[in-house]
Amino acid sequence: ANEKAFWHWGDQGDSKAWITADLIHKNAIVYFANSENGLSITREILADGIGGNHQGADWLAYDRYNSPARKLLKSILAEGAQTSMKTYLIKVSSDKNQQLTEAQINTLGYQLMGLKKYDDAIIVFAQNTSDYPNSSNAWDSYAEAFMNKGDKELAIRYYEKTLELNPASKNAADMLKKLKQ
């Protein structure tokens, strides 16, 4: 392929930025978004604006605006996690390709915590511990949700589970020390 391009992105949490320049055809795209989901439309903007393949967008691998994880988040925000997770589990039981990865579920839980929807986050993190019971990271996130909700007893229980699975978890050890004071 006769391609010569560069790209860069910026991620400041609630704002995002992207630049791609095709040096051979002298085309470029620069955009800024004031949304934590601003890079979810990068592929569409690039396809419409300059076409071609874009290794940067592939490498960055941001979830698309219509990805299963984003659809689940929208559903949770509209209907609550209890209802949405039941629907999600029905989809997964009939099509394993619908199952989100541990990282996707974890991200979803943290998005909910960022919105202070701790009960919904707890339901999502509980699903992650069910789907990935040997992941210390899943249990650590579950513990953090309980800590943020103010349930010290369950936070301690799940940070202890994190340490059982990963004795080297500095975060779990530090949080247990803090919670037990």
Side-chain angles (χ1 to χ4, degrees), residues 47-168:
D48 190 44
I50 58 178
N53 297 318
H54 299 279
Q55 294 175 347
D58 295 339
W59 178 85
L60 194 57
Y62 257 70
D63 269 349
R64 292 173 59 107
Y65 66 93
N66 61 352
S67 71
R70 289 198 193 276
K71 286 181 180 179
L72 182 55
L73 175 61
K74 288 177 186 176
S75 174
I76 291 169
L77 294 175
E79 302 175 12
Q82 193 162 355
T83 300
S84 297
M85 291 308 289
K86 284 180 186 174
T87 304
Y88 164 76
L89 290 172
I90 291 168
K91 285 180 186 175
V92 169
S93 71
S94 64
D95 181 2
K96 292 294 182 197
N97 291 326
Q98 295 294 314
Q99 185 168 6
L100 299 179
T101 65
E102 177 189 348
Q104 288 172 313
I105 296 173
N106 211 49
T107 297
L108 181 59
Y110 277 102
Q111 288 170 321
L112 292 165
M113 282 205 305
L115 296 169
K116 301 200 181 324
K117 294 186 172 289
Y118 301 122
D119 291 330
D120 287 335
I122 286 167
I123 290 169
V124 169
F125 287 134
Q127 186 61 52
N128 218 14
T129 62
S130 176
D131 290 347
Y132 304 97
N134 295 320
S135 167
S136 63
N137 187 54
W139 289 98
D140 186 84
S141 298
Y142 194 36
E144 185 176 343
F146 281 108
M147 184 186 69
N148 286 336
K149 184 181 176 187
D151 189 330
K152 186 175 176 179
E153 183 180 318
L154 287 176
I156 289 170
R157 180 186 304 170
Y158 297 126
Y159 278 126
E160 287 173 343
K161 175 72 175 178
T162 302
L163 278 178
E164 177 185 315
L165 292 167
N166 178 10

Side-chain angles (χ1 to χ4, degrees), residues 18-82:
W18 184 272
I19 180 172
T20 292
D22 176 340
L23 300 174
I24 292 180
H25 299 99
K26 309 272 190 252
N27 289 327
I29 294 283
V30 176
Y31 82 91
F32 302 91
N34 63 348
S35 165
E36 71 178 42
N37 301 323
L39 293 178
S40 68
I41 58 172
T42 300
R43 286 183 177 89
E44 286 75 13
I45 288 176
L46 293 171
D48 190 44
I50 58 178
N53 297 318
H54 299 279
Q55 294 175 347
D58 295 339
W59 178 85
L60 194 57
Y62 257 70
D63 269 349
R64 292 173 59 107
Y65 66 93
N66 61 352
S67 71
R70 289 198 193 276
K71 286 181 180 179
L72 182 55
L73 175 61
K74 288 177 186 176
S75 174
I76 291 169
L77 294 175
E79 302 175 12
Q82 193 162 355

